[in-house]
């Protein structure tokens, strides 16, 4: 079952499998202040804004670093120093934003639901009605902890009706699930190069309302994670404030070309949905159980319950799949033992069928029963 290639398939929430051309795009030297690189920077910024269906009133601010850097920059720059936000939490990435607010000193409230439960728009509405001090709501689109899809359009509608600003972490959905700023009115949305856009790690970005960016001068508690200054730099000179990851941007430019050639968000989302279907059906066929009910599952990453059979051991399962060229991901649930398999990256339905076949082979080799009922951790 070994895939016919040197690199493993990365069935993870990123970095993930990239195309040959995207890898090749990194071979070269770029002057960070040279016209060619500045043109590439401008093109990528425009493409990303367009992917969010943002018009003239939105701008894309690229940032050196992983997605977390972009989220931290978004929170620190757009939530005023004397403001207060409400963070919707149903997994590790929501909890990470709580931690960021603690560290950067932004006042916050938390509305937490279970990891298999999206926030209720009606409950959000009631919370906002009760608390006038909340200026910003902070939400995760697809909570990659489980792969659950949160009702972002409904959340946005409630925020708009209540006159509150919305900040979205769309890290693991951007580029594969529709994100239309016309239908999801928000102040900013953060994502990164190396998830559904199929670039490589090293660049995060925030597409934000220019009016909001313009109003936040001096607000960020950090020099390097200051969205306002980074944006001003791009607008004034086209340059990054500090040396950019040039090869990463070159890869992202190529990955965006491939995204467009594939047919954009709709086609990317359709391929991932097909991958997800093959994976879930195949794994269920072997006896594995998914953590989420089908309707809540985004076609990004699937959480499976760890079989309770003592012969199942994640490390051995992982290693046996890795030997076959597939890297999966540990679980991140607080409530149950689990593991995750991603549907995203440069892989298609046929590739996913090979993944399921490899899991079947490994299951036989290790001799555990995938359907053994789980005891909670
Ligand atoms: C991956 C991810 C992040 C963090 O991005 P990193 O690149 O891992 O720092 C934040 N939020 C969500 C929803 C993610 O999936």
């Amino acid at each position: 079952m070994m895939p016919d290639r040197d690199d493993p398939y990365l069935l993870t929430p990123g970095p993930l499998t990239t195309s040959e051309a995207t890898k090749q795009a990194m071979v070269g030297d770029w002057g960070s202040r040279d016209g060619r690189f500045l043109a590439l920077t401008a093109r990528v910024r425009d493409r990303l804004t367009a992917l969010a269906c943002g018009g003239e009133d939105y701008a894309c601010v690229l940032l050196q670093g992983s997605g977390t850097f972009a989220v931290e920059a978004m929170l620190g720059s757009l939530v005023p120093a004397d403001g207060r936000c409400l963070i919707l939490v149903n997994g590790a990435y929501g909890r990470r934003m709580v931690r960021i607010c603690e560290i950067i000193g932004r006042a916050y409230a938390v509305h937490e639901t279970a990891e298999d439960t999206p926030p209720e728009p009606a409950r959000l509405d009631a919370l906002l009605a009760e608390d006038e001090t909340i200026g910003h709501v902070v939400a995760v689109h697809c909570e990659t902890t489980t792969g659950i899809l949160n009702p972002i359009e409904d959340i946005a509608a409630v925020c708009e009706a209540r006159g509150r600003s919305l900040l979205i972490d769309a890290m693991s959905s951007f580029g594969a699930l529709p994100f239309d700023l016309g239908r999801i009115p928000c102040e900013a949305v953060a994502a990164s190069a190396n998830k559904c856009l199929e670039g490589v790690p090293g660049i995060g970005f925030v597409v934000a309302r220019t009016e909001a960016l313009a109003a936040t001068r001096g607000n960020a508690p950090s020099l390097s994670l200051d969205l306002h200054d980074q944006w001003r730099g791009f607008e004034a000179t086209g340059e990054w404030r500090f040396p950019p990851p040039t090869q990463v941007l070159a890869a992202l430019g190529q990955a965006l070309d491939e995204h467009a050639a594939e047919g954009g968000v709709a086609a990317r989302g359709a391929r991932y949905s097909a991958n997800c279907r093959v994976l879930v059906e195949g794994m269920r066929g072997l006896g594995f159980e998914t953590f989420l009910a089908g309707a809540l599952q985004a076609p990004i990453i699937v959480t499976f319950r760890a079989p309770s059979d003592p012969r199942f051991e994640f490390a051995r399962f992982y290693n046996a799949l890795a030997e076959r060229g597939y890297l999966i991901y540990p679980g991140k649930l607080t409530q149950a033992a689990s593991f995750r398999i991603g549907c995203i990256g440069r892989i298609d339905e046929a590739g996913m069928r090979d993944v399921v076949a490899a899991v079947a082979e490994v299951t036989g080799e290790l001799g555990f029963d995938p359907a053994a009922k789980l005891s909670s951790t």
Side-chain angles (χ1 to χ4, degrees):
M1 261 314 124
M2 192 67 181
D4 179 25
R5 47 188 271 143
D6 294 332
D7 288 335
Y9 278 98
L10 307 183
L11 304 166
T12 69
L16 31 77
T17 310
T18 54
S19 74
E20 204 46 49
T22 295
K23 284 187 263 279
Q24 284 304 324
M26 289 187 283
V27 181
D29 295 322
W30 299 72
S32 66
R33 300 187 167 190
D34 178 64
R36 226 173 113 234
F37 185 75
L38 300 190
L40 175 63
T41 297
R43 187 167 71 83
V44 166
R45 290 181 63 220
D46 287 348
R47 282 281 193 87
L48 293 173
T49 306
L51 271 183
C53 307
E56 287 291 299
D57 43 346
Y58 282 89
C60 172
V61 187
L62 302 167
L63 271 179
Q64 298 90 335
S66 85
T68 304
F69 293 55
V71 171
E72 186 163 339
M74 174 172 78
L75 294 173
S77 304
L78 294 176
V79 178
D82 60 354
R84 187 151 175 278
C85 59
L86 172 64
I87 307 173
L88 306 180
V89 174
N90 59 347
Y93 292 104
R95 285 193 292 276
R96 184 176 292 177
M97 295 199 285
V98 171
R99 185 83 185 107
I100 289 171
C101 284
E102 251 167 36
I103 289 172
I104 66 175
R106 291 293 180 268
Y108 63 88
V110 174
H111 173 53
E112 181 155 8
T113 50
E115 289 176 332
D116 60 355
T117 310
E120 275 274 345
R123 182 83 187 102
L124 172 62
D125 187 55
L127 288 169
L128 294 180
E130 258 161 40
D131 192 341
E132 293 286 335
T133 68
I134 293 167
H136 284 78
V137 173
V138 181
V140 181
H141 188 195
C142 168
E143 186 33 278
T144 325
T145 308
T146 53
I148 196 171
L149 189 59
N150 287 325
I152 205 69
E153 282 192 28
D154 297 344
I155 291 169
V158 169
C159 292
E160 187 171 46
R162 290 273 168 203
R164 313 300 169 89
S165 301
L166 174 63
L167 305 177
I168 300 174
D169 169 355
M171 205 68 60
S172 63
S173 51
F174 195 88
L177 301 181
F179 194 99
D180 180 342
L181 282 163
R183 300 183 51 187
I184 307 172
C186 67
E187 193 167 289
V189 54
S192 73
N194 68 298
K195 292 195 178 180
C196 301
L197 297 176
E198 299 185 356
V200 303
I203 292 178
F205 58 89
V206 179
V207 177
R209 214 169 247 147
T210 49
E211 204 180 80
L213 283 171
T216 56
R217 181 155 177 264
N219 192 50
S222 159
L223 172 70
S224 51
L225 299 181
D226 184 334
L227 279 189
H228 175 277
D229 281 8
Q230 186 91 341
W231 169 63
R232 281 284 186 230
F234 285 131
E235 296 293 313
T237 62
E239 292 177 12
W240 299 60
R241 279 183 307 158
F242 305 114
T246 49
Q247 285 81 2
V248 175
L249 189 73
L252 181 55
Q254 172 64 28
L256 286 169
D257 287 345
E258 290 176 22
H259 185 272
E262 183 173 0
V265 173
R268 178 74 40 108
R271 176 161 58 85
Y272 290 172
S273 292
N275 287 353
C276 185
R277 200 164 48 242
V278 166
L279 176 69
V280 168
E281 282 172 9
M283 293 291 283
R284 282 191 182 143
L286 297 176
F288 289 92
E289 196 184 325
T290 59
F291 175 71
L292 292 175
L296 296 174
Q297 176 73 58
I300 304 296
I301 189 162
V302 181
T303 300
F304 296 95
R305 291 181 179 277
S308 63
D309 187 329
R311 283 166 297 187
F312 176 85
E313 222 184 286
F314 178 75
R316 293 185 65 204
F317 184 60
Y318 176 92
N319 288 335
L321 285 170
E323 275 167 27
R324 288 162 171 82
Y326 299 110
L327 304 190
I328 64 165
Y329 222 54
K332 209 174 190 171
L333 295 183
T334 50
Q335 36 182 293
S338 61
F339 63 88
R340 290 179 286 176
I341 300 184
C343 319
I344 58 182
R346 200 84 320 238
I347 187 166
D348 60 10
E349 265 180 272
M352 287 318 263
R353 271 192 286 276
D354 291 343
V355 173
V356 173
V359 170
E361 213 176 275
V362 165
T363 301
E365 185 179 296
L366 300 183
F368 65 83
D369 172 12
K373 276 293 163 265
L374 177 99
S375 54
S376 55
T377 43

